[in-house]
Every structure is written in structure tokens, then in C-alpha cells.
Amino acid sequence: MSKRRGRSSKRRSQKKQNSWIIYAVVIAIVGMVFVLIASNGGVPGSAPSVAQDRLDLDPILGEPDAPVTVIEYGAYACEACQAFHRSGAIEQILAEYGGQVNFSFRDFPVISPAYDRMAANVAQCVLDQGQNQFWAFHNALFTAVNAPRTSENELISLAGGIDGVDQNTLDECASNDTHLRTVVYDQNRAQDLGLRSTPSFVVNGQVIIGGNPTALRQAINAALGS
């Protein structure tokens, strides 16, 4: 009798041990999946690859060869970004400093990530068709769109109405998530700088947190004086 109890106890112990081994293996596999996703910036494997020169292409307002570059890292669902763009601060600074300053935008989709990435992908598809087209759509995203409740089809339709945008090319680019890797590339650049919020700005290497035109002017003046 005692031998049976002993064997039964051993079997229960073995089953429990096997259960823990299976549990540990499952946890390890899940952990590996998360590591792979993180190392890939959360980009699905099906997303198209993007050439490095396109990844590095920034939309630019103003003189491309200006000595000072103001880079905004922003998200299209960011209310503070919307307020900054609607204030006209960008246009005022560019006019004030003439050809000495240019302005660039990079995607940092951290406010409503699913919407931010979707809108940014469409915007990058528009950039493929021209700088002027990009900025027209970019401005519409901040002034005429109910973010983050606007659908991808609505965004594509809005972009297709911009002069110089070919609707068929845009449809194919957006539906294929052609620039999802471009968006994540920008996001990684922001994170490499230690940025955590939008809007954040970099003025010739100096980081400015928040859309404060006075702080931006001070950084521009310092860059021009250096």
C-alpha cells in the first residue's frame, strides 16, 4: 500500500515538474516574440522594406541649405502639436529669419499609436509625390481632421484631393503600408535622442520640449551666433 502511495506521489510530482517545464517554455517563447517585435520597432514582417535614402528623406519647409534646421518630432493625434501648427508659429519663424532657418517634421507616433502610424504612413506616401503635396496634407491633418476618429479611407480621400497627388499611386502606397518602416525609423530616431513626448524639437542638436516659440527663437539665435 505504501509503495503504491509512493509511486502515486512520484507521478504527481513528475506531472507538476513537467507542468512547470511547459510553463517555462511558453513564457520563454512569448518573451522571444516580444523581443523580436521590439527589435523590429513593432513593424510587421509583411511591411515592405524601404531604401535608406528614402528613410533619411525629411520634408522641409524653407531653404534646404539654411544654417539652422528646426526638426519637430510630432504625432498627428497630438493636441499640443495641433495647437502649435494652428498658431502659425512655423510660418512666423520662417518669415522672421528668412533663408537662415528651415523646418522639418519627423513622425513620433506615441499619442494614439495606431492612428498616428496610419496617418503618418499616408502622409509619407504623399511625400513620395512631392514636398508641396506633403505639406498641404500635413497641414490638413492638423487643421481639418477629427483625429484620431478619422478612418484611413477618409485620410486617403483627403490626400487624393490635393493638387498634384495621383490617387491610384496613393491608394497602392497606403494600402500596402509602404512607409510603415519609415514612420518607425523616425520614431526610433526620436527615442535615440531620449524624447518622450510630442511635440519635441531639435534645433541644430539642441532639444526643446514643447511647442514654445520663444524657446525655439532662443535656440535659433544661439545656433546662428555659434
Side-chain angles (χ1 to χ4, degrees):
M1 193 78 172
S2 60
K3 287 183 179 179
R4 286 200 199 98
R5 281 199 298 267
R7 285 195 293 269
S8 177
S9 176
K10 285 181 179 179
R11 283 197 295 270
R12 286 196 298 270
S13 177
Q14 187 64 43
K15 286 181 180 179
K16 186 178 293 186
Q17 184 177 359
N18 289 341
S19 296
W20 278 109
I21 291 173
I22 293 171
Y23 179 76
V25 169
V26 170
I27 292 297
I29 292 173
V30 171
M32 289 173 64
V33 170
F34 276 110
V35 168
L36 287 172
I37 291 174
S39 64
N40 199 32
V43 181
S46 59
S49 60
V50 181
Q52 188 63 46
D53 59 347
R54 179 59 183 84
L55 291 173
D56 290 326
L57 175 67
D58 288 326
I60 295 176
L61 280 176
E63 175 56 50
D65 296 326
V68 177
T69 294
V70 178
I71 301 171
E72 177 187 358
Y73 285 92
Y76 290 114
C78 166
E79 293 184 359
C81 300
Q82 293 168 5
F84 176 78
H85 282 266
R86 290 171 180 172
S87 73
I90 298 169
E91 292 77 12
Q92 292 168 12
I93 288 174
L94 290 176
E96 182 178 336
Y97 287 93
Q100 295 180 297
V101 176
N102 62 38
F103 180 88
S104 185
F105 182 85
R106 292 178 183 171
D107 297 299
F108 194 20
V110 294
I111 301 301
S112 181
Y115 172 83
D116 289 334
R117 289 190 180 193
M118 176 186 70
N121 176 62
V122 177
Q124 290 288 344
C125 286
V126 175
L127 178 58
D128 281 345
Q129 301 196 37
Q131 291 273 348
N132 291 338
Q133 287 77 11
F134 170 85
W135 287 107
F137 182 59
H138 173 87
N139 292 337
L141 286 173
F142 281 130
T143 61
V145 168
N146 185 18
R149 290 175 287 278
T150 304
S151 70
E152 182 177 42
N153 286 339
E154 290 172 321
L155 293 180
I156 292 172
S157 177
L158 176 65
I162 294 171
D163 287 344
V165 172
D166 179 78
Q167 184 72 64
N168 291 333
T169 302
L170 175 64
D171 289 344
E172 182 179 1
C173 179
S175 63
N176 290 335
D177 287 334
T178 298
H179 282 296
L180 187 54
R181 292 185 188 276
T182 308
V183 175
V184 173
Y185 181 76
D186 277 357
Q187 180 176 353
N188 290 340
R189 289 198 282 187
Q191 292 170 338
D192 288 344
L193 289 168
L195 305 182
R196 294 290 181 269
S197 61
T198 56
S200 294
F201 298 84
V202 180
V203 182
N204 278 26
Q206 180 180 346
V207 174
I208 306 293
I209 304 300
N212 184 333
T214 299
L216 289 175
R217 286 183 172 87
Q218 289 173 345
I220 291 169
N221 290 336
L224 289 173
S226 61

